[in-house]
Amino acid sequence: SLDPHSNYLEGATLQRLNTMIDGNYTGLGLSVILDDGAVKVIAPMKGSPAEQAGVKAGDYITHLDGKLIYGGELDDAVAQMRGEAGTKIRLTLFRAGREAPFDVTVTRGVINLEPVTSKLTDNVGVISVNEFSRNVGADVAKAIDDLKRQAGGKLAGLVLDLRQNPGGSLDEAVALSDLFLTQ
């Protein structure tokens, strides 16, 4: 452990991260961690089946199809959440601020992650970095060029939105930072 935001990964955990970084798998579209024996949602991927079903960052998943997963292995829970596109799974969620857990049924889908999205509003470019997957630095550089072109060569401002970004490749986070930092 380097800091609260870093982890050493190996085995199945590293494989899971590499799958996310590659950006194409079937499942729910969730980034999760094990937090004191509970599966905690870091973030649903934008546009994913989980996000569309209402799963939110900070939710705790306590049951999968009625089966308690508290105290189990994260890799086992992730394996159960993955599955063939079109199949359904019932998640029991605990959310802070609600008195009781509740169920959400999610239909698994093909997760084609869109790591970088952008839009121009009133000459202000907004670039959302949804995860640090492969080529994010290059994708953001291209998005900046596209936004400048759309704005006629002059942007009034640029917003870099990192909200709900579950993390990913440190090399890509550095490549993104290099676009904005001189040292």
Side-chain angles (χ1 to χ4, degrees), residues 132-165:
F132 291 108
S133 60
R134 295 201 200 295
N135 301 317
V136 161
D139 291 347
V140 170
K142 182 183 178 306
I144 292 169
D145 290 342
D146 290 346
L147 289 167
K148 284 180 182 175
R149 197 170 22 264
Q150 290 174 39
K154 185 168 179 165
L155 286 171
L158 183 65
V159 175
L160 185 61
D161 185 356
L162 299 175
R163 292 174 297 171
Q164 304 229 358
N165 183 318

PDB file of all heavy atoms in Angstrom, residues 132-165:
ATOM      1  N   PHE A 132      -9.660   5.353 -16.185  1.00  0.00           N
ATOM      2  CA  PHE A 132      -8.307   5.450 -16.748  1.00  0.00           C
ATOM      3  C   PHE A 132      -7.967   4.148 -17.468  1.00  0.00           C
ATOM      4  O   PHE A 132      -7.152   3.367 -17.019  1.00  0.00           O
ATOM      5  CB  PHE A 132      -7.292   5.790 -15.659  1.00  0.00           C
ATOM      6  CG  PHE A 132      -7.455   7.185 -15.141  1.00  0.00           C
ATOM      7  CD1 PHE A 132      -7.964   7.421 -13.882  1.00  0.00           C
ATOM      8  CD2 PHE A 132      -7.131   8.268 -15.933  1.00  0.00           C
ATOM      9  CE1 PHE A 132      -8.133   8.701 -13.414  1.00  0.00           C
ATOM     10  CE2 PHE A 132      -7.300   9.563 -15.480  1.00  0.00           C
ATOM     11  CZ  PHE A 132      -7.803   9.782 -14.210  1.00  0.00           C
ATOM     12  N   SER A 133      -8.614   3.940 -18.626  1.00  0.00           N
ATOM     13  CA  SER A 133      -8.339   2.758 -19.436  1.00  0.00           C
ATOM     14  C   SER A 133      -7.310   3.113 -20.506  1.00  0.00           C
ATOM     15  O   SER A 133      -6.814   4.240 -20.558  1.00  0.00           O
ATOM     16  CB  SER A 133      -9.627   2.226 -20.063  1.00  0.00           C
ATOM     17  OG  SER A 133     -10.204   3.205 -20.892  1.00  0.00           O
ATOM     18  N   ARG A 134      -7.015   2.152 -21.364  1.00  0.00           N
ATOM     19  CA  ARG A 134      -5.986   2.352 -22.384  1.00  0.00           C
ATOM     20  C   ARG A 134      -6.251   3.579 -23.239  1.00  0.00           C
ATOM     21  O   ARG A 134      -7.372   3.820 -23.636  1.00  0.00           O
ATOM     22  CB  ARG A 134      -5.906   1.126 -23.282  1.00  0.00           C
ATOM     23  CG  ARG A 134      -5.441  -0.095 -22.554  1.00  0.00           C
ATOM     24  CD  ARG A 134      -4.891  -1.156 -23.466  1.00  0.00           C
ATOM     25  NE  ARG A 134      -4.879  -2.470 -22.867  1.00  0.00           N
ATOM     26  CZ  ARG A 134      -4.149  -2.821 -21.825  1.00  0.00           C
ATOM     27  NH1 ARG A 134      -3.369  -1.963 -21.239  1.00  0.00           N
ATOM     28  NH2 ARG A 134      -4.200  -4.047 -21.337  1.00  0.00           N
ATOM     29  N   ASN A 135      -5.188   4.346 -23.508  1.00  0.00           N
ATOM     30  CA  ASN A 135      -5.201   5.493 -24.424  1.00  0.00           C
ATOM     31  C   ASN A 135      -6.000   6.696 -23.930  1.00  0.00           C
ATOM     32  O   ASN A 135      -6.358   7.559 -24.729  1.00  0.00           O
ATOM     33  CB  ASN A 135      -5.705   5.077 -25.808  1.00  0.00           C
ATOM     34  CG  ASN A 135      -4.845   3.987 -26.403  1.00  0.00           C
ATOM     35  OD1 ASN A 135      -3.622   4.032 -26.319  1.00  0.00           O
ATOM     36  ND2 ASN A 135      -5.492   2.993 -26.980  1.00  0.00           N
ATOM     37  N   VAL A 136      -6.288   6.774 -22.640  1.00  0.00           N
ATOM     38  CA  VAL A 136      -7.061   7.903 -22.129  1.00  0.00           C
ATOM     39  C   VAL A 136      -6.335   9.222 -22.387  1.00  0.00           C
ATOM     40  O   VAL A 136      -6.958  10.201 -22.797  1.00  0.00           O
ATOM     41  CB  VAL A 136      -7.400   7.732 -20.628  1.00  0.00           C
ATOM     42  CG1 VAL A 136      -7.773   9.046 -19.980  1.00  0.00           C
ATOM     43  CG2 VAL A 136      -8.539   6.752 -20.480  1.00  0.00           C
ATOM     44  N   GLY A 137      -5.022   9.264 -22.176  1.00  0.00           N
ATOM     45  CA  GLY A 137      -4.283  10.501 -22.431  1.00  0.00           C
ATOM     46  C   GLY A 137      -4.444  10.959 -23.866  1.00  0.00           C
ATOM     47  O   GLY A 137      -4.764  12.130 -24.129  1.00  0.00           O
ATOM     48  N   ALA A 138      -4.282  10.056 -24.807  1.00  0.00           N
ATOM     49  CA  ALA A 138      -4.437  10.391 -26.229  1.00  0.00           C
ATOM     50  C   ALA A 138      -5.887  10.749 -26.556  1.00  0.00           C
ATOM     51  O   ALA A 138      -6.141  11.667 -27.347  1.00  0.00           O
ATOM     52  CB  ALA A 138      -3.975   9.219 -27.088  1.00  0.00           C
ATOM     53  N   ASP A 139      -6.838  10.045 -25.927  1.00  0.00           N
ATOM     54  CA  ASP A 139      -8.259  10.335 -26.177  1.00  0.00           C
ATOM     55  C   ASP A 139      -8.637  11.728 -25.679  1.00  0.00           C
ATOM     56  O   ASP A 139      -9.404  12.447 -26.333  1.00  0.00           O
ATOM     57  CB  ASP A 139      -9.152   9.293 -25.511  1.00  0.00           C
ATOM     58  CG  ASP A 139      -9.058   7.919 -26.164  1.00  0.00           C
ATOM     59  OD1 ASP A 139      -8.494   7.817 -27.270  1.00  0.00           O
ATOM     60  OD2 ASP A 139      -9.551   6.942 -25.545  1.00  0.00           O
ATOM     61  N   VAL A 140      -8.106  12.139 -24.534  1.00  0.00           N
ATOM     62  CA  VAL A 140      -8.397  13.473 -24.014  1.00  0.00           C
ATOM     63  C   VAL A 140      -7.739  14.535 -24.908  1.00  0.00           C
ATOM     64  O   VAL A 140      -8.351  15.571 -25.213  1.00  0.00           O
ATOM     65  CB  VAL A 140      -7.954  13.627 -22.543  1.00  0.00           C
ATOM     66  CG1 VAL A 140      -8.023  15.081 -22.089  1.00  0.00           C
ATOM     67  CG2 VAL A 140      -8.830  12.748 -21.640  1.00  0.00           C
ATOM     68  N   ALA A 141      -6.518  14.294 -25.358  1.00  0.00           N
ATOM     69  CA  ALA A 141      -5.849  15.237 -26.267  1.00  0.00           C
ATOM     70  C   ALA A 141      -6.675  15.413 -27.539  1.00  0.00           C
ATOM     71  O   ALA A 141      -6.873  16.541 -28.017  1.00  0.00           O
ATOM     72  CB  ALA A 141      -4.443  14.747 -26.594  1.00  0.00           C
ATOM     73  N   LYS A 142      -7.202  14.321 -28.061  1.00  0.00           N
ATOM     74  CA  LYS A 142      -8.044  14.389 -29.267  1.00  0.00           C
ATOM     75  C   LYS A 142      -9.335  15.145 -28.965  1.00  0.00           C
ATOM     76  O   LYS A 142      -9.795  15.963 -29.771  1.00  0.00           O
ATOM     77  CB  LYS A 142      -8.356  12.980 -29.769  1.00  0.00           C
ATOM     78  CG  LYS A 142      -9.190  12.959 -31.036  1.00  0.00           C
ATOM     79  CD  LYS A 142      -9.527  11.524 -31.441  1.00  0.00           C
ATOM     80  CE  LYS A 142     -10.386  11.453 -32.672  1.00  0.00           C
ATOM     81  NZ  LYS A 142     -11.611  12.208 -32.629  1.00  0.00           N
ATOM     82  N   ALA A 143      -9.932  14.896 -27.798  1.00  0.00           N
ATOM     83  CA  ALA A 143     -11.167  15.591 -27.420  1.00  0.00           C
ATOM     84  C   ALA A 143     -10.933  17.099 -27.315  1.00  0.00           C
ATOM     85  O   ALA A 143     -11.777  17.892 -27.743  1.00  0.00           O
ATOM     86  CB  ALA A 143     -11.710  15.034 -26.099  1.00  0.00           C
ATOM     87  N   ILE A 144      -9.791  17.504 -26.769  1.00  0.00           N
ATOM     88  CA  ILE A 144      -9.469  18.933 -26.666  1.00  0.00           C
ATOM     89  C   ILE A 144      -9.368  19.540 -28.060  1.00  0.00           C
ATOM     90  O   ILE A 144      -9.933  20.611 -28.333  1.00  0.00           O
ATOM     91  CB  ILE A 144      -8.167  19.159 -25.861  1.00  0.00           C
ATOM     92  CG1 ILE A 144      -8.372  18.786 -24.395  1.00  0.00           C
ATOM     93  CG2 ILE A 144      -7.698  20.608 -25.982  1.00  0.00           C
ATOM     94  CD1 ILE A 144      -7.089  18.723 -23.578  1.00  0.00           C
ATOM     95  N   ASP A 145      -8.668  18.849 -28.969  1.00  0.00           N
ATOM     96  CA  ASP A 145      -8.555  19.337 -30.347  1.00  0.00           C
ATOM     97  C   ASP A 145      -9.928  19.447 -31.009  1.00  0.00           C
ATOM     98  O   ASP A 145     -10.221  20.437 -31.680  1.00  0.00           O
ATOM     99  CB  ASP A 145      -7.643  18.425 -31.172  1.00  0.00           C
ATOM    100  CG  ASP A 145      -6.185  18.515 -30.764  1.00  0.00           C
ATOM    101  OD1 ASP A 145      -5.806  19.508 -30.083  1.00  0.00           O
ATOM    102  OD2 ASP A 145      -5.414  17.593 -31.115  1.00  0.00           O
ATOM    103  N   ASP A 146     -10.774  18.433 -30.812  1.00  0.00           N
ATOM    104  CA  ASP A 146     -12.122  18.455 -31.394  1.00  0.00           C
ATOM    105  C   ASP A 146     -12.944  19.611 -30.836  1.00  0.00           C
ATOM    106  O   ASP A 146     -13.657  20.297 -31.587  1.00  0.00           O
ATOM    107  CB  ASP A 146     -12.851  17.134 -31.124  1.00  0.00           C
ATOM    108  CG  ASP A 146     -12.273  15.960 -31.893  1.00  0.00           C
ATOM    109  OD1 ASP A 146     -11.479  16.181 -32.834  1.00  0.00           O
ATOM    110  OD2 ASP A 146     -12.620  14.801 -31.542  1.00  0.00           O
ATOM    111  N   LEU A 147     -12.854  19.837 -29.533  1.00  0.00           N
ATOM    112  CA  LEU A 147     -13.606  20.933 -28.913  1.00  0.00           C
ATOM    113  C   LEU A 147     -13.116  22.287 -29.422  1.00  0.00           C
ATOM    114  O   LEU A 147     -13.924  23.186 -29.692  1.00  0.00           O
ATOM    115  CB  LEU A 147     -13.496  20.858 -27.386  1.00  0.00           C
ATOM    116  CG  LEU A 147     -14.246  19.705 -26.724  1.00  0.00           C
ATOM    117  CD1 LEU A 147     -13.821  19.548 -25.269  1.00  0.00           C
ATOM    118  CD2 LEU A 147     -15.752  19.904 -26.829  1.00  0.00           C
ATOM    119  N   LYS A 148     -11.794  22.450 -29.568  1.00  0.00           N
ATOM    120  CA  LYS A 148     -11.250  23.705 -30.113  1.00  0.00           C
ATOM    121  C   LYS A 148     -11.766  23.935 -31.527  1.00  0.00           C
ATOM    122  O   LYS A 148     -12.141  25.053 -31.888  1.00  0.00           O
ATOM    123  CB  LYS A 148      -9.716  23.666 -30.114  1.00  0.00           C
ATOM    124  CG  LYS A 148      -9.096  23.878 -28.758  1.00  0.00           C
ATOM    125  CD  LYS A 148      -7.579  23.819 -28.850  1.00  0.00           C
ATOM    126  CE  LYS A 148      -6.933  23.970 -27.493  1.00  0.00           C
ATOM    127  NZ  LYS A 148      -5.469  23.794 -27.551  1.00  0.00           N
ATOM    128  N   ARG A 149     -11.804  22.879 -32.320  1.00  0.00           N
ATOM    129  CA  ARG A 149     -12.291  22.993 -33.696  1.00  0.00           C
ATOM    130  C   ARG A 149     -13.771  23.393 -33.694  1.00  0.00           C
ATOM    131  O   ARG A 149     -14.191  24.276 -34.441  1.00  0.00           O
ATOM    132  CB  ARG A 149     -12.075  21.666 -34.424  1.00  0.00           C
ATOM    133  CG  ARG A 149     -12.150  21.736 -35.913  1.00  0.00           C
ATOM    134  CD  ARG A 149     -11.703  20.487 -36.661  1.00  0.00           C
ATOM    135  NE  ARG A 149     -11.712  19.206 -35.952  1.00  0.00           N
ATOM    136  CZ  ARG A 149     -10.649  18.649 -35.353  1.00  0.00           C
ATOM    137  NH1 ARG A 149      -9.470  19.263 -35.369  1.00  0.00           N
ATOM    138  NH2 ARG A 149     -10.749  17.495 -34.746  1.00  0.00           N
ATOM    139  N   GLN A 150     -14.561  22.766 -32.821  1.00  0.00           N
ATOM    140  CA  GLN A 150     -15.990  23.097 -32.730  1.00  0.00           C
ATOM    141  C   GLN A 150     -16.208  24.537 -32.285  1.00  0.00           C
ATOM    142  O   GLN A 150     -17.176  25.178 -32.687  1.00  0.00           O
ATOM    143  CB  GLN A 150     -16.697  22.169 -31.742  1.00  0.00           C
ATOM    144  CG  GLN A 150     -16.832  20.735 -32.201  1.00  0.00           C
ATOM    145  CD  GLN A 150     -17.422  19.868 -31.094  1.00  0.00           C
ATOM    146  OE1 GLN A 150     -18.321  20.293 -30.375  1.00  0.00           O
ATOM    147  NE2 GLN A 150     -16.902  18.651 -30.949  1.00  0.00           N
ATOM    148  N   ALA A 151     -15.294  25.039 -31.451  1.00  0.00           N
ATOM    149  CA  ALA A 151     -15.418  26.399 -30.905  1.00  0.00           C
ATOM    150  C   ALA A 151     -14.784  27.435 -31.827  1.00  0.00           C
ATOM    151  O   ALA A 151     -14.638  28.597 -31.437  1.00  0.00           O
ATOM    152  CB  ALA A 151     -14.786  26.466 -29.520  1.00  0.00           C
ATOM    153  N   GLY A 152     -14.380  27.032 -33.019  1.00  0.00           N
ATOM    154  CA  GLY A 152     -13.773  27.980 -33.946  1.00  0.00           C
ATOM    155  C   GLY A 152     -12.365  28.378 -33.549  1.00  0.00           C
ATOM    156  O   GLY A 152     -11.920  29.485 -33.848  1.00  0.00           O
ATOM    157  N   GLY A 153     -11.675  27.504 -32.842  1.00  0.00           N
ATOM    158  CA  GLY A 153     -10.286  27.763 -32.473  1.00  0.00           C
ATOM    159  C   GLY A 153     -10.080  28.384 -31.105  1.00  0.00           C
ATOM    160  O   GLY A 153      -8.955  28.479 -30.636  1.00  0.00           O
ATOM    161  N   LYS A 154     -11.158  28.817 -30.466  1.00  0.00           N
ATOM    162  CA  LYS A 154     -10.982  29.470 -29.170  1.00  0.00           C
ATOM    163  C   LYS A 154     -12.034  28.988 -28.175  1.00  0.00           C
ATOM    164  O   LYS A 154     -13.212  29.283 -28.306  1.00  0.00           O
ATOM    165  CB  LYS A 154     -11.076  30.986 -29.322  1.00  0.00           C
ATOM    166  CG  LYS A 154     -10.784  31.699 -28.034  1.00  0.00           C
ATOM    167  CD  LYS A 154     -10.590  33.172 -28.220  1.00  0.00           C
ATOM    168  CE  LYS A 154     -10.337  33.741 -26.843  1.00  0.00           C
ATOM    169  NZ  LYS A 154      -9.821  35.032 -26.806  1.00  0.00           N
ATOM    170  N   LEU A 155     -11.552  28.260 -27.171  1.00  0.00           N
ATOM    171  CA  LEU A 155     -12.420  27.819 -26.088  1.00  0.00           C
ATOM    172  C   LEU A 155     -12.445  28.882 -24.997  1.00  0.00           C
ATOM    173  O   LEU A 155     -11.406  29.451 -24.655  1.00  0.00           O
ATOM    174  CB  LEU A 155     -11.907  26.515 -25.472  1.00  0.00           C
ATOM    175  CG  LEU A 155     -12.080  25.231 -26.256  1.00  0.00           C
ATOM    176  CD1 LEU A 155     -11.322  24.088 -25.581  1.00  0.00           C
ATOM    177  CD2 LEU A 155     -13.546  24.883 -26.398  1.00  0.00           C
ATOM    178  N   ALA A 156     -13.630  29.137 -24.438  1.00  0.00           N
ATOM    179  CA  ALA A 156     -13.733  30.068 -23.308  1.00  0.00           C
ATOM    180  C   ALA A 156     -13.246  29.400 -22.026  1.00  0.00           C
ATOM    181  O   ALA A 156     -12.817  30.070 -21.092  1.00  0.00           O
ATOM    182  CB  ALA A 156     -15.174  30.539 -23.138  1.00  0.00           C
ATOM    183  N   GLY A 157     -13.293  28.083 -21.997  1.00  0.00           N
ATOM    184  CA  GLY A 157     -12.843  27.345 -20.826  1.00  0.00           C
ATOM    185  C   GLY A 157     -12.916  25.856 -21.087  1.00  0.00           C
ATOM    186  O   GLY A 157     -13.450  25.412 -22.102  1.00  0.00           O
ATOM    187  N   LEU A 158     -12.353  25.114 -20.164  1.00  0.00           N
ATOM    188  CA  LEU A 158     -12.345  23.664 -20.276  1.00  0.00           C
ATOM    189  C   LEU A 158     -12.564  23.075 -18.886  1.00  0.00           C
ATOM    190  O   LEU A 158     -11.880  23.449 -17.933  1.00  0.00           O
ATOM    191  CB  LEU A 158     -11.003  23.173 -20.840  1.00  0.00           C
ATOM    192  CG  LEU A 158     -10.857  21.690 -21.086  1.00  0.00           C
ATOM    193  CD1 LEU A 158     -11.818  21.230 -22.187  1.00  0.00           C
ATOM    194  CD2 LEU A 158      -9.433  21.369 -21.502  1.00  0.00           C
ATOM    195  N   VAL A 159     -13.534  22.168 -18.781  1.00  0.00           N
ATOM    196  CA  VAL A 159     -13.823  21.480 -17.529  1.00  0.00           C
ATOM    197  C   VAL A 159     -13.418  20.023 -17.706  1.00  0.00           C
ATOM    198  O   VAL A 159     -13.840  19.373 -18.663  1.00  0.00           O
ATOM    199  CB  VAL A 159     -15.325  21.566 -17.168  1.00  0.00           C
ATOM    200  CG1 VAL A 159     -15.626  20.745 -15.919  1.00  0.00           C
ATOM    201  CG2 VAL A 159     -15.754  23.014 -16.992  1.00  0.00           C
ATOM    202  N   LEU A 160     -12.611  19.532 -16.799  1.00  0.00           N
ATOM    203  CA  LEU A 160     -12.210  18.130 -16.800  1.00  0.00           C
ATOM    204  C   LEU A 160     -12.983  17.451 -15.673  1.00  0.00           C
ATOM    205  O   LEU A 160     -12.732  17.689 -14.496  1.00  0.00           O
ATOM    206  CB  LEU A 160     -10.705  17.999 -16.584  1.00  0.00           C
ATOM    207  CG  LEU A 160     -10.117  16.606 -16.683  1.00  0.00           C
ATOM    208  CD1 LEU A 160     -10.341  16.024 -18.077  1.00  0.00           C
ATOM    209  CD2 LEU A 160      -8.628  16.644 -16.375  1.00  0.00           C
ATOM    210  N   ASP A 161     -13.946  16.623 -16.045  1.00  0.00           N
ATOM    211  CA  ASP A 161     -14.845  15.984 -15.083  1.00  0.00           C
ATOM    212  C   ASP A 161     -14.336  14.586 -14.765  1.00  0.00           C
ATOM    213  O   ASP A 161     -14.350  13.703 -15.617  1.00  0.00           O
ATOM    214  CB  ASP A 161     -16.253  15.918 -15.687  1.00  0.00           C
ATOM    215  CG  ASP A 161     -17.287  15.371 -14.721  1.00  0.00           C
ATOM    216  OD1 ASP A 161     -16.931  14.961 -13.597  1.00  0.00           O
ATOM    217  OD2 ASP A 161     -18.478  15.343 -15.107  1.00  0.00           O
ATOM    218  N   LEU A 162     -13.884  14.383 -13.526  1.00  0.00           N
ATOM    219  CA  LEU A 162     -13.383  13.088 -13.080  1.00  0.00           C
ATOM    220  C   LEU A 162     -14.336  12.418 -12.092  1.00  0.00           C
ATOM    221  O   LEU A 162     -13.992  11.409 -11.486  1.00  0.00           O
ATOM    222  CB  LEU A 162     -12.000  13.246 -12.430  1.00  0.00           C
ATOM    223  CG  LEU A 162     -10.903  13.804 -13.316  1.00  0.00           C
ATOM    224  CD1 LEU A 162      -9.626  14.030 -12.524  1.00  0.00           C
ATOM    225  CD2 LEU A 162     -10.650  12.895 -14.501  1.00  0.00           C
ATOM    226  N   ARG A 163     -15.539  12.983 -11.929  1.00  0.00           N
ATOM    227  CA  ARG A 163     -16.497  12.404 -10.986  1.00  0.00           C
ATOM    228  C   ARG A 163     -16.864  10.994 -11.415  1.00  0.00           C
ATOM    229  O   ARG A 163     -16.951  10.696 -12.592  1.00  0.00           O
ATOM    230  CB  ARG A 163     -17.769  13.248 -10.908  1.00  0.00           C
ATOM    231  CG  ARG A 163     -17.535  14.614 -10.273  1.00  0.00           C
ATOM    232  CD  ARG A 163     -18.765  15.452 -10.338  1.00  0.00           C
ATOM    233  NE  ARG A 163     -19.086  15.697 -11.743  1.00  0.00           N
ATOM    234  CZ  ARG A 163     -20.215  16.272 -12.156  1.00  0.00           C
ATOM    235  NH1 ARG A 163     -21.126  16.640 -11.291  1.00  0.00           N
ATOM    236  NH2 ARG A 163     -20.432  16.474 -13.438  1.00  0.00           N
ATOM    237  N   GLN A 164     -17.094  10.141 -10.458  1.00  0.00           N
ATOM    238  CA  GLN A 164     -17.490   8.746 -10.650  1.00  0.00           C
ATOM    239  C   GLN A 164     -16.458   7.950 -11.430  1.00  0.00           C
ATOM    240  O   GLN A 164     -16.766   6.904 -11.992  1.00  0.00           O
ATOM    241  CB  GLN A 164     -18.855   8.670 -11.330  1.00  0.00           C
ATOM    242  CG  GLN A 164     -19.895   9.417 -10.568  1.00  0.00           C
ATOM    243  CD  GLN A 164     -21.149   8.629 -10.337  1.00  0.00           C
ATOM    244  OE1 GLN A 164     -21.297   7.510 -10.775  1.00  0.00           O
ATOM    245  NE2 GLN A 164     -22.076   9.222  -9.634  1.00  0.00           N
ATOM    246  N   ASN A 165     -15.229   8.423 -11.479  1.00  0.00           N
ATOM    247  CA  ASN A 165     -14.155   7.683 -12.137  1.00  0.00           C
ATOM    248  C   ASN A 165     -13.614   6.679 -11.131  1.00  0.00           C
ATOM    249  O   ASN A 165     -13.105   7.067 -10.085  1.00  0.00           O
ATOM    250  CB  ASN A 165     -13.054   8.645 -12.578  1.00  0.00           C
ATOM    251  CG  ASN A 165     -11.928   7.968 -13.324  1.00  0.00           C
ATOM    252  OD1 ASN A 165     -11.480   6.891 -12.944  1.00  0.00           O
ATOM    253  ND2 ASN A 165     -11.466   8.601 -14.373  1.00  0.00           N
TER     254      ASN A 165
END
